[in-house]
Amino acid sequence: MSESQFKDWIKLSAVIADVQDTTNIECPNCHQFDVDYQYVGDIQSRTGFLDIWCNACLHGIHLSRTKAPEKASIIPFDAVEEYTKKVPKFTPIEPV
């Protein structure tokens, strides 16, 4: 397994903002096509954070202060149970 870089994961955030289907997105870490994401935030303003992870290797990133696109699914800040069901505990890739 290669060690992915934070910048490789950041690039995925731009791709995810444009598409809803992640089946063609390759994980920068293990190169599997099993990437998923979830926006969490204020439903009215659609601002909050974004988690992107790979279900195969369980690596990913957490991006704060982001805005969810109109078509993207967003979980409210207070929906902790919904968040924990959707987002697995992944190993965060940190900037170096």
Side-chain angles (χ1 to χ4, degrees), residues 10-52:
I10 290 290
K11 290 176 188 174
L12 291 185
S13 66
V15 173
I16 286 170
D18 290 335
V19 299
Q20 307 311 292
D21 179 18
T22 61
T23 57
N24 292 324
I25 298 176
E26 182 179 351
C27 171
N29 193 65
C30 72
H31 307 289
Q32 298 295 309
F33 291 90
D34 202 2
V35 172
D36 205 351
Y37 70 97
Q38 183 60 59
Y39 287 95
V40 178
D42 179 73
I43 300 297
Q44 300 286 342
S45 68
R46 302 191 63 78
T47 57
F49 65 86
L50 169 63
D51 284 336
I52 306 171

